Amino acid sequence: AAFWGTMFLGESIRCLHGIAVLCAVVGAFLVSKPDVLLGLRQPEDGVPWLGYILSLLAGTFAGATFIAARKSQGLSPSLLNWSLTMQQGTVLWLISLSGFVEDVPLS
């Protein structure tokens, strides 16, 4: 979000922003099995590259969502909600059609 704010809103990155970004990166590194990432131990089921890539994309798009919300202050909340719902529904529908996810029985 700090990167997007600088790029699209013209905000400056202060020392506090840099500390927050650094803490977020260190925290993400610590919860993602650093011994595997550093090559100190081999993962049991292989390296989950898709999960790593999707988590980076999720963070990037979450920041972009915050910036979009700040840029669209004059729009109706109903319109913003509808837009978000349609986008998420489309992505989830495409994921279900892609075969990446197995269906689980509801009962």
Side-chain angles (χ1 to χ4, degrees):
F3 171 74
W4 291 113
T6 300
M7 199 163 138
F8 291 107
L9 298 177
E11 296 176 344
S12 61
I13 295 182
R14 297 188 180 109
C15 183
L16 191 57
H17 292 117
I19 292 170
V21 169
L22 180 66
C23 287
V25 170
V26 169
F29 180 75
L30 290 176
V31 300
S32 62
K33 299 181 183 176
D35 52 344
V36 174
L37 290 175
L38 294 174
L40 302 175
R41 181 176 62 88
Q42 292 296 323
E44 295 86 27
D45 298 331
V47 180
W49 291 112
L50 181 62
Y52 293 153
I53 292 169
L54 289 177
S55 64
L56 288 173
L57 286 174
T60 301
F61 287 122
T65 301
F66 295 139
I67 299 304
R70 290 187 55 197
K71 296 267 304 175
S72 59
Q73 291 178 359
L75 294 177
S76 163
S78 297
L79 176 65
L80 296 173
N81 192 18
W82 178 83
S83 173
L84 182 63
T85 302
M86 291 296 114
Q87 292 173 38
Q88 288 178 343
T90 302
V91 168
L92 291 173
W93 178 66
L94 291 173
I95 288 173
S96 70
L97 293 177
S98 69
F100 284 128
V101 181
E102 294 181 23
D103 287 334
V104 177
L106 295 176
S107 59

